[in-house]
Amino acid sequence: MSTETQEAMEMGTKPVPEHEWLQKLVGEWTVTSEMNMGPDQPKMTSQGKETVVSLGGLWAKGEGTATGPDGSSMQIFYALGYDVSFKEYRGCWLMSMSSHLWKQTGTLSDDGKTMTLDCVGPHMSKDGETANYRDVIELIDENHRTMTSYGQDDNGEWQEFMKATYTRV
């Protein structure tokens, strides 16, 4: 291998302290979710599994399966990393029940326990419109975490619509 080729290979991004948080997501998880289906509607629950691997210490890449609100099976894929150029956490989600690619940007709390990820996506009840969404990932301990999902209503208030609880297998 030429010196130029070796130098080019070594020029990749090296993990920085912000990447360490992502490694806490790595592993096998069981997932229980509770979804608010709307006013005067009963909450729906879902069971699933998730596998998260590290990509070069820079990304947490997750793949999971769960039951959807209608009982059907769905697949979920995501990547979450820290972008050293933009100095922010960035992620994306896609799932078998939606054609939208959910692109998120986020921040980590000062105590390192909570990540808040914001994005814009399709409005859940107004076809053709978009809405603001927020996922809050909280590390409870090394074997437990939660992710609470919110949508911003027409008054600018954040309304919880889903909470997932993760337990390390």
Side-chain angles (χ1 to χ4, degrees):
M1 176 180 334
S2 72
T3 303
E4 289 176 356
T5 302
Q6 188 172 353
E7 287 175 359
M9 290 174 61
E10 292 174 1
M11 289 177 56
T13 303
K14 303 287 187 243
V16 297
E18 287 82 357
H19 292 111
E20 292 175 21
W21 188 89
L22 302 167
Q23 303 313 304
K24 296 174 183 180
L25 304 177
V26 172
E28 300 283 330
W29 302 86
T30 59
V31 185
T32 302
S33 301
E34 189 172 84
M35 296 157 277
N36 181 353
M37 303 308 288
D40 303 321
Q41 297 288 322
K43 288 189 177 190
M44 302 289 288
T45 59
S46 171
Q47 302 294 319
K49 296 179 182 181
E50 180 181 84
T51 300
V52 181
V53 297
S54 175
L55 293 179
L58 300 172
W59 293 92
K61 180 185 80 78
E63 181 174 342
T65 58
T67 52
D70 64 356
S72 64
S73 179
M74 65 177 174
Q75 292 180 289
I76 304 160
F77 299 91
Y78 73 88
L80 182 58
Y82 180 77
D83 189 314
V84 298
S85 298
F86 290 89
K87 307 280 189 249
E88 67 185 359
Y89 287 93
R90 291 186 169 194
C92 65
W93 296 77
L94 60 146
M95 60 194 85
S96 60
M97 61 182 266
S98 170
S99 66
H100 186 71
L101 175 64
W102 298 84
K103 297 180 282 185
Q104 300 174 306
T105 58
T107 57
L108 187 61
S109 64
D110 290 339
D111 66 6
K113 292 185 178 187
T114 305
M115 178 167 297
T116 301
L117 297 159
D118 291 312
C119 71
V120 175
H123 199 289
M124 289 186 190
S125 60
K126 297 179 183 177
D127 285 341
E129 292 189 29
T130 60
N132 295 320
Y133 295 97
R134 174 172 287 163
D135 286 335
V136 178
I137 302 170
E138 182 180 1
L139 301 177
I140 309 301
D141 58 41
E142 66 182 34
N143 296 313
H144 301 90
R145 63 184 161 98
T146 61
M147 183 179 76
T148 308
S149 298
Y150 300 88
Q152 194 172 38
D153 66 20
D154 293 338
N155 297 322
E157 299 293 322
W158 292 101
Q159 303 296 323
E160 179 181 323
F161 65 87
M162 188 200 70
K163 184 167 189 167
T165 303
Y166 298 77
T167 303
R168 190 179 300 278
V169 177

